[in-house]
Amino acid sequence: IYFKIFEFFVLFNVIHLSWFWGLYTLKITDVVLPLGIATMIDISFMHGNNLPLINAGLISVLTVLAFFRKGPNWIYMVVFVLLHVQYVARFSIGEIPHSANLPGMALFSFAVGLIFFDKRVHRYRFIFGFTLFYIGLGYFSASMSKLIGTGPTWIDGRHLWLWIAEKGTDILGREGAFDYNIVQIIALNSIPAATLMLFIGIFTEFIGPLVWFRKTRPYAILALVGMHYGVMLSMNIRFDAFMIELLLVGMPWPEWYERYKPTLQRWFAPEQIPV
């Protein structure tokens, strides 16, 4: 049940992203900055027609079939390739987001797991293990890329001022109004406070590999979720899918269920009192 809940989360995100990207791609006419497979093939065939919607429909059907195991084991790999095409068609215009990285790699773990492992228990172990490995590696790499690109001065609070202003401009242009929240006010009024916020963020990413170990995993996961919540408050950047995936795969839900199973049974299935 726990595994299927996680798989349903992946299914929901894949279908949602395929249609969300597909609908936006209908407005794109030019390739500005090719990404991924678009650096090897001309992705412009996805623009100026309804192919993005057809691709989204195909992704949706194949994902549902794969979820219910109706068809060959390589369906998720086909979905992964089609979703990548949808991604590069949408984002080969100069904007490179990473808000779908974790759900995308979770889909890849399902694609590989179902192809190379026959026994369900082996599939489960690989898919969860690979997902946790990528989470730890991804966050650690994020911290390293900041240090390589900017150096220790990345945590300078004035950088946060710039990012707050940039996101404020985006929101103002989209919604016509923007107000600073309490976290942003604190950061803008104090360089040390803003610097501390950035330090906590990069340090939390740096300890990402702690999710690889059972004893430290829940604490590292909660720290990463807290970091994303802080990013949302300070820069208005939402990583909802990241936070949900972190909580799904990083917390010991099966162990908690087994531990509190007798209590849950008493609550939801009380014994019948004989007449």
Side-chain angles (χ1 to χ4, degrees):
I1 294 174
Y2 173 55
F3 180 83
K4 294 305 288 187
I5 289 173
F6 176 50
E7 187 174 0
F8 180 79
F9 163 80
V10 175
L11 174 148
F12 175 82
N13 275 278
V14 167
I15 294 177
H16 167 72
L17 291 173
S18 66
W19 285 99
F20 185 66
W21 294 340
L23 290 170
Y24 192 94
T25 304
L26 297 178
K27 301 183 290 185
I28 298 175
T29 57
D30 299 299
V31 176
V32 178
L33 180 64
L35 303 176
I37 197 173
T39 61
M40 295 177 281
I41 64 173
D42 184 5
I43 201 66
S44 61
F45 71 88
M46 291 288 290
H47 302 146
N49 52 58
N50 289 323
L51 274 179
L53 300 185
I54 296 174
N55 192 34
L58 184 59
I59 289 172
S60 302
V61 172
L62 291 177
T63 303
V64 172
L65 290 176
F67 180 82
F68 290 104
R69 305 293 187 265
K70 301 296 184 181
N73 292 334
W74 42 261
I75 293 182
Y76 268 136
M77 186 61 73
V78 174
V79 172
F80 179 77
V81 174
L82 293 178
L83 188 67
H84 179 69
V85 171
Q86 198 84 324
Y87 176 85
V88 298
R90 161 64 180 87
F91 291 108
S92 291
I93 55 175
E95 178 188 10
I96 308 175
H98 54 276
S99 55
N101 285 8
L102 287 192
M105 289 302 294
L107 172 62
F108 181 70
S109 71
F110 276 92
V112 175
L114 265 66
I115 290 176
F116 291 100
F117 297 93
D118 294 326
K119 294 184 178 180
R120 287 191 300 174
V121 65
H122 295 161
R123 289 175 176 175
Y124 298 165
R125 288 175 176 175
F126 171 81
I127 290 171
F128 277 119
F130 181 85
T131 302
L132 289 169
F133 173 76
Y134 177 77
I135 288 172
L137 179 63
Y139 281 106
F140 179 76
S141 300
S143 67
M144 289 295 100
S145 67
K146 294 176 176 63
L147 293 176
I148 293 171
T150 308
T153 59
W154 183 88
I155 63 172
D156 188 329
R158 285 165 290 196
H159 293 158
L160 183 56
W161 291 1
L162 174 64
W163 298 326
I164 290 174
E166 288 178 343
K167 292 303 298 182
T169 302
D170 292 342
I171 295 173
L172 183 63
R174 184 179 69 242
E175 301 179 5
F178 173 74
D179 292 319
Y180 295 114
N181 59 42
I182 184 63
V183 174
Q184 293 169 329
I185 292 173
I186 292 174
L188 293 172
N189 286 333
S190 171
I191 292 179
T195 300
L196 178 62
M197 292 179 188
L198 293 182
F199 172 77
I200 292 174
I202 195 173
F203 178 77
T204 305
E205 290 180 333
F206 181 79
I207 65 172
L210 291 180
V211 306
W212 297 341
F213 309 101
R214 184 182 297 271
K215 290 185 178 180
T216 57
R217 185 177 303 148
Y219 306 104
I221 289 296
L222 291 176
L224 290 169
V225 172
M227 179 203 68
H228 280 302
Y229 190 71
V231 170
M232 182 179 68
L233 291 177
S234 59
M235 289 185 284
N236 299 102
I237 302 176
R238 300 180 65 96
F239 286 90
D240 296 346
F242 276 39
M243 296 167 71
I244 295 173
E245 181 172 333
L246 288 172
L247 291 173
L248 271 178
V249 302
M251 305 305 288
W253 301 109
E255 290 85 350
W256 287 347
Y257 174 76
E258 291 298 329
R259 182 184 305 172
Y260 299 109
K261 185 177 180 180
T263 303
L264 294 173
Q265 288 178 335
R266 286 197 301 269
W267 286 355
F268 298 105
E271 295 181 2
Q272 296 294 326
I273 301 176
V275 178

